Amino acid sequence: MSPQSSAYLHEMGIDHFQLRHPERLAGYTPSELILPESCQLLLVSDHLPVSQTATLFENILKAMNLTLAQAAHIYPHQLASLGQHQLNWLWFAGCEPLSSLENTHVLTSESLTLLDGDNQRKRALWQQIRQYQSS
């Protein structure tokens, strides 16, 4: 991005942006998605956790002995662009598991919105987590 474009975005209060459907751009070639080395859990979901769902996400991470700094979120269509990673956990929340990554524990659940306040769904997720942790 040019410095002038960056300055315009900064003036508008936009720190970063992400195209929802970059594949619709003519000539677009997806770049490889690189996660930080500290990332241990990747949440694949149609919705970015915000407000109440972000709090729920953070509480689930704490129960797994992980921090927000050790987790990341991507949209399902971005999974194909994932490059080298150090992930231990791949969590599909509210979407179909598209694939599994080598040497990762795959979790599936309802969306975070549906998990919030539903103890039965949270228990089912926790059972998956405990199953992997005990093996």
Side-chain angles (χ1 to χ4, degrees):
M1 181 180 312
S2 73
Q4 186 178 18
S5 297
S6 181
Y8 287 140
L9 291 174
H10 183 70
E11 285 178 26
M12 292 185 287
I14 299 172
D15 295 330
H16 67 280
F17 67 93
Q18 181 176 3
L19 296 173
R20 289 192 187 259
H21 299 284
E23 68 279 1
R24 294 180 183 171
L25 296 174
Y28 173 75
T29 304
S31 59
E32 189 173 73
L33 181 63
I34 306 296
L35 297 174
E37 285 186 33
S38 63
C39 187
Q40 298 295 306
L41 181 141
L42 183 61
L43 175 66
V44 181
S45 175
D46 288 323
H47 304 285
L48 179 68
V50 293
S51 300
Q52 200 167 338
T53 57
T55 302
L56 173 64
F57 181 56
E58 185 174 14
N59 289 340
I60 292 170
L61 289 174
K62 284 179 185 176
M64 296 173 71
N65 294 319
L66 295 173
T67 65
L68 280 175
Q70 294 174 298
H73 168 268
I74 63 171
Y75 296 100
H77 71 273
Q78 293 176 299
L79 189 59
S81 302
L82 186 62
Q84 293 282 33
H85 61 83
Q86 303 292 340
L87 293 172
N88 289 328
W89 300 93
L90 181 60
W91 178 7
F92 293 94
C95 62
E96 290 296 316
L98 302 174
S99 67
S100 61
L101 302 175
E102 193 173 320
N103 299 321
T104 59
H105 304 303
V106 178
L107 303 172
T108 57
S109 73
E110 301 294 333
S111 68
L112 290 174
T113 304
L114 293 176
L115 277 178
D116 193 27
D118 190 327
N119 289 334
Q120 185 176 357
R121 288 179 173 155
K122 284 193 268 189
R123 191 175 304 115
L125 175 62
W126 183 245
Q127 287 172 348
Q128 290 179 62
I129 295 166
R130 295 297 297 161
Q131 181 181 355
Y132 283 123
Q133 288 178 335
S134 65
S135 61

